Amino acid sequence: MSDRIASEKLRSKIKSAEEAAQFVNHGDKVGLSGFTGAGYPKALPTAIANRAKQAHSAGEEYAIDVYTGASTAPDCDGVLAEADAIRFRMPYQSDPTMRSKINEGKIAYADIHLSHSGQLVEEGFFGQLNVAIVEAVRITEEGHIVPSSSVGNNVEYLNAAERIIIEVNSWQSEHLEGMHDIWSIPKLPHRIAVPINKPGDRIGKSYIEIDTDKVVAVVETSTPDRNAPFKPVDDISKKIAGNFLDFLEGEVAAGRLSYDGYIMQSGVGNVPNAVMAGLLDSKFENIQAYTEVIQDGMVDLIDAGKMTVASATSFSLSPEYAEKMNDEAERYREYIILRPQQISNHPEVIRRVGLIATNGLIEADIYGNVNSTNVSGSRVMNGIGGSGDFTRNGYISSFITPSVAKDGAISAIVPFASHIDHTEHDVMVLISEYGYADLRGLAPRERVAKIISIAHPDYRPLLEEYYERATSGANKFLQTPHDLATAFQFHTNLASTGSMKG
């Protein structure tokens, strides 16, 4: 495998994961590659976790602060959380073990917009970054890093770190080289416009330049990405996808969109993947994506000739499609561009290309405020991710959701969102299996009936009853009426009875 390490200088730094872990000390601030289960280091997390366990068994302290691009995997976030090896984590996570430790107060977690996170570290807002651990497809003769299946915050972490550890993973296809487009935002006060006008514009290099003197270890691995499978498309997902396509058709009829050149952003998950499946049989052609992740549905659109370019920072593929990508990366790199997340999620570019943003939610309230992160206002699920970057700056922002969860015990539409990540000012369209609520140009009171109409029928009378109560008496003259005594009754019902119905 050492032929993937073309630099003689860095080939001399090859070590085992256990040896490399000795460069990661208690209290260190550590930047890891990885985004949505792709491109994360495979060997070092377990080696660091084992070092933490040994230290704890000896009565010694060992914990580090961990920064990533976004979520990683059980063999990264999971093993570190299980070993109590993490003191602080940012900007996004989705591992069940880590989530539990965060909600138990054992790990400090900062939920940060993904477009902000790299800059915060590089500018030193968290203090000095001690170590960057980054997965690569290969290392060039000059010592440049060719990233693997994600870019994320690799550039910023490699620039800021005192020490660098590189994992070279032979499972990742060498033909990923050429898919990446690495361009760095100049530091203040020397910022310039990001020179991207269309999703397919390439503006940078296919590798990351690093200071090779900072490299303390190179570790060889051959391990797959996490690659969780998507669930089969069910009837509810198909209905949501159909309602989303109806909304797009309405935009075409209004002259605000054409069948040629629809530019999309899509959050991660089964319902967004179903939406992309619906686009296969639609009238839309020459679809382009300027987004965070490449999902199975986008690969299908490329294969069908429906999608001409997809720009992202990472893959989020099922195991089957990850193998397909590895086998055919040389072909797909003609259509796919992987960028640093400061570029893929950059507000300026998002606004310029005029994309339609589509993300999921935990709940929305009757005025259009959206909660993406905290169950019942307090228990973090995953994090805001990049949804805020795209919602605030997209041409049109939409949120898609099934109307209920937990067999109907939880309504996605509530009187008052228990936590708000996206305010009514940024949310334009809400979509469930019961239709879509176009909120553009509507005052708060005008939104209520539209939003309640896409709630589950079992909850509509309860929502209407709440709004009637909220607008009774002196409240009828208020801009955004609420009955604060019962605004969170859905949530208190859930806590006391196990159902929002009470």
Side-chain angles (χ1 to χ4, degrees), residues 406 408-410 492-502:
K406 301 294 184 183
I410 297 175
T492 56
N493 285 345
L494 180 64
S496 61
T497 71
S499 172
M500 285 186 171
K501 298 173 188 175

Side-chain angles (χ1 to χ4, degrees), residues 24-336:
V24 183
N25 304 311
H26 169 63
D28 276 354
K29 301 178 189 301
V30 181
L32 303 180
S33 63
F35 196 108
T36 59
Y40 60 91
K42 309 298 191 296
L44 261 296
T46 295
I48 294 169
N50 289 338
R51 187 176 175 194
K53 290 177 182 178
Q54 292 168 2
H56 299 160
S57 295
E60 300 170 357
E61 291 185 336
Y62 188 98
I64 59 177
D65 292 0
V66 172
Y67 318 135
T68 62
S71 57
T72 61
D75 50 334
C76 187
D77 272 340
V79 296
L80 290 168
E82 189 274 331
D84 292 322
I86 299 180
R87 185 200 72 85
F88 174 90
R89 178 73 167 83
M90 81 96 189
Y92 182 92
Q93 56 75 44
S94 65
D95 181 80
T97 303
M98 178 164 288
R99 182 186 303 125
S100 295
K101 294 289 179 80
I102 291 169
N103 285 316
E104 291 168 12
K106 295 180 179 178
I107 295 175
Y109 173 59
D111 185 14
I112 294 173
H113 295 295
L114 297 189
S115 66
H116 296 178
S117 55
Q119 173 184 266
L120 291 174
V121 171
E122 193 171 26
E123 297 294 344
F125 294 166
F126 292 103
Q128 174 62 52
L129 188 70
N130 303 110
V131 187
I133 305 173
V134 173
E135 183 178 84
V137 166
R138 77 180 190 95
I139 301 172
T140 71
E141 290 183 359
E142 300 83 4
H144 305 324
I145 293 176
V146 178
S148 60
S149 49
S150 70
V151 182
N153 282 326
N154 291 3
V155 174
E156 291 78 18
Y157 295 164
L158 289 163
N159 286 343
E162 296 173 321
R163 304 183 293 280
I164 294 172
I165 299 171
I166 307 168
E167 286 196 6
V168 180
N169 186 353
S170 62
W171 177 85
Q172 303 276 8
S173 171
E174 285 188 277
H175 293 299
L176 290 174
E177 185 170 359
M179 189 176 286
H180 308 92
D181 187 53
I182 308 301
W183 190 87
S184 298
I185 296 175
K187 290 187 176 183
L188 290 169
H190 306 294
R191 294 276 168 85
I192 61 173
V194 179
I196 294 175
N197 296 309
K198 301 184 298 296
D201 287 347
R202 286 183 172 272
I203 61 173
K205 299 174 181 177
S206 61
Y207 52 82
I208 304 173
E209 295 179 336
I210 64 170
D211 180 352
T212 56
D213 289 339
K214 297 197 295 187
V215 178
V216 294
V218 176
V219 176
E220 297 177 307
T221 68
S222 183
T223 306
D225 282 333
R226 178 189 66 187
N227 299 318
F230 290 99
K231 296 177 183 176
V233 177
D234 58 18
D235 288 341
I236 290 176
S237 296
K238 287 180 181 178
K239 290 177 180 177
I240 295 170
N243 292 332
F244 180 79
L245 288 170
D246 286 346
F247 167 72
L248 294 183
E249 289 282 356
E251 291 302 289
V252 173
R256 293 186 289 263
L257 183 65
S258 69
Y259 287 122
D260 180 62
Y262 159 48
I263 301 175
M264 65 179 297
Q265 176 267 336
S266 177
V268 182
N270 295 293
V271 177
N273 223 43
V275 168
M276 285 181 274
L279 285 166
L280 281 170
D281 299 319
S282 72
K283 298 177 184 178
F284 291 91
E285 304 288 343
N286 187 31
I287 301 168
Q288 301 167 66
Y290 196 87
T291 188
E292 293 177 326
V293 294
I294 307 296
Q295 301 181 72
D296 289 12
M298 290 183 189
V299 175
D300 289 337
L301 288 169
I302 290 170
D303 289 345
K306 285 275 195 174
M307 179 169 281
T308 54
V309 65
S311 170
T313 193
S314 178
F315 293 122
S316 181
L317 301 171
S318 67
E320 176 188 355
Y321 277 65
E323 290 292 344
K324 179 182 177 71
M325 184 58 62
N326 261 352
D327 293 341
E328 302 180 54
E330 190 171 11
R331 175 170 73 88
Y332 284 118
R333 71 188 181 197
E334 299 300 315
Y335 303 92
I336 293 172

